[in-house]
Amino acid sequence: MIQIQCTGCQKKYSIPEEKIPKGKTLDLPCPACKTVIRIQTDASPEPVAEAPPEDTVPGNELMMKIVKASKALPPMPQIIAKATEVLSSDKAGFKEVGEVLATDQAMATRVLKLANSAYYGRTTPVSSVQQASALLGFQTLLELITVVSTSKMMGKRLEGYGIEAEGVWRHSLLVAMGAKMIAQKRNPDLVNDAFNAGLIHDSGMLILDDYVVEKRAAVEDILGNGKAIQNAERQIFGFDHGEIAAEFFKRWKLPETQLHAIRHHHEPSASGGDMLCYILHVADDMANREHTEKNFVFDPDALAAIGLSAEETDAMLEEVREAVNHIMASMG
Ligand SMILES: [Fe+2]
Ligand SMILES: [Fe+2]
């Protein structure tokens, strides 16, 4: 077997020796990212060395180093930690979540403002956290808390990627709302995971931004050749923003199902057929009609994987945009 590695997405492949003609140059498109992999063989081919185990791959070492040093994302907000604990422990924990919220008046005020926005708002104005929970339900209250507590984190300008703060936040909300609506339609059990993963799916860009600034010329070169941003990251760093975000959020103890979907959000075919990952990818494609992520590549099998038509996602996008406009307007 001859081991080859794609210079675009870093995937490794094994090819039987007899399939490669001796003394010839062979250009093969990478099945994953379509980068052309050139294989040159002498009269007596020299096999490339066996790939090292994953934890010693240089890209992986660099990723761990960056995650460790990262100050781009805060530690897990206490309120989210409490909400996650309550959700996973299966007990009605509104009281505990309410108590944590009561210790942060600024956040409670923002949550109530959002609860009264045109998207969440009901005819009766909501004036207390208890009332919000009673009128909107505990799940929706948690959604409001998640939006408010991540808005600061996901609303930062990305200099290296060339995206303004408002663009980053809008994209995050579009993917969160899109993923939530798709899950409501196709797999209601995934609604909560879809919303949360959607909101932070691109936070790896926040972690990588300073490094992308340093490599801006190389990144632009790769993008200029029509490659997607994740291909540029993999080529330069050995991993992409989905992988580094998933690694970072292990610290937040997010459920593995969310980490897995975030890790593969640009390449759902590598997720082992994970439904949440396909939902995230389709929501990302819908949101990227505003071109936030450069040269976004849509997996042609993704719609079939979640059982939606292009017409359905088009109609859904209108609804998603309206919801996001209302949420952004109410948050100022
Ligand atoms: Fe992304
Ligand atoms: Fe995205």
Side-chain angles (χ1 to χ4, degrees), residues 94 98 101 108 111-113 115-116 120-138 140-141 144:
F94 168 69
L101 201 54
V111 165
L112 288 177
K113 206 171 159 204
N116 287 312
Y120 292 103
R122 300 287 186 272
T123 40
T124 326
V126 173
S127 57
S128 71
V129 171
Q130 283 76 5
Q131 202 189 359
S133 178
L135 289 176
L136 305 171
F138 187 54
T140 306
L141 178 66
L144 301 178

Side-chain angles (χ1 to χ4, degrees), residues 17-95:
E17 259 172 73
E18 59 275 16
K19 292 230 164 146
I20 302 178
K22 289 183 183 175
K24 289 247 168 86
T25 301
L26 208 64
D27 284 338
L28 292 175
C30 168
C33 76
K34 310 289 179 244
T35 297
V36 174
I37 309 170
R38 174 152 289 192
I39 308 166
Q40 275 173 314
T41 57
D42 302 331
S44 53
E46 197 62 45
V48 179
E50 273 290 331
E54 212 190 334
D55 59 354
T56 61
V57 172
N60 214 38
E61 274 174 27
L62 178 64
M63 182 166 79
M64 296 302 182
K65 227 168 115 183
I66 294 176
V67 164
K68 246 186 179 168
S70 177
K71 302 254 185 305
L73 301 178
M76 187 179 213
Q78 203 199 349
I79 187 79
I80 305 256
K82 189 40 103 183
T84 307
E85 187 196 312
V86 166
L87 275 178
S88 58
S89 70
D90 238 20
K91 55 177 179 172
F94 168 69
K95 204 168 147 268

Side-chain angles (χ1 to χ4, degrees), residues 319-331:
E319 225 181 298
V320 169
R321 280 189 171 139
E322 206 185 314
V324 169
N325 291 344
H326 284 316
I327 292 172
M328 289 185 78
S330 81
M331 293 181 82

